[in-house]
Amino acid sequence: MDSSSSGIGTGPDSVPTGPRPRRRDRHGRGMRGPVAPPQVPLSASRAESFRDLVRDSVERLERRWPQLADVDFLVSDVPLPESDEDEWSDEAVPLGRALPASKGSPARIIVYRRPVEIRTKSRDERALLVHEVVVEQVAELLGLAPESVDPRYGQD
């Protein structure tokens, strides 16, 4: 036997030994189906689901207060100091902020995602707190009491 024919798969008549396509599933249980039904979002991140909670709360309030259509509702991860000189004090971290309209920019309400998430344990608690924050910020923006913005405020 010469050295040129001693290797496996090295001759001119050899067949490539790469990975072969599977013709059947390995364990006989059928091919895999989808992981979840098509109507279920598989990759909804926490930020996306939080945005949905804010959107739901705003839609509830816009039915009662049509002037909220001119207000921008934003979600930010964390509050930042307003300027470089501002330092964090011993005050509680804000959950939201209302910014009145200024020249060229509409009124804005910002809800801070991480402080709200840290204070809640379940999605239901988070939805309630998000709605309370949105109601409080809308009340501040409109110069009203939160109870007049949403009569169910504080009852849940």
Side-chain angles (χ1 to χ4, degrees), residues 99-119:
L99 301 169
S102 61
K103 39 186 164 157
S105 67
R108 292 181 293 168
I109 291 179
I110 305 169
V111 180
Y112 299 116
R113 180 176 68 88
R114 291 296 298 148
V116 171
E117 285 179 339
I118 288 170
R119 286 169 177 77

Side-chain angles (χ1 to χ4, degrees), residues 6 15 40 59 113 124-125 136 154:
S6 64
V15 179
V40 176
E59 287 172 0
R113 180 176 68 88
D124 292 338
E125 283 182 15
E136 289 168 359

Side-chain angles (χ1 to χ4, degrees), residues 14 31 39 45 50 76 79 82 100 109-111 115 117-118 122 133-135 137 140:
S14 68
M31 297 305 287
Q39 66 272 16
S45 68
F50 189 86
S76 182
E82 292 180 23
I109 291 179
I110 305 169
V111 180
E117 285 179 339
I118 288 170
S122 69
V133 171
V134 170
V135 167
Q137 299 309 316
E140 182 179 328

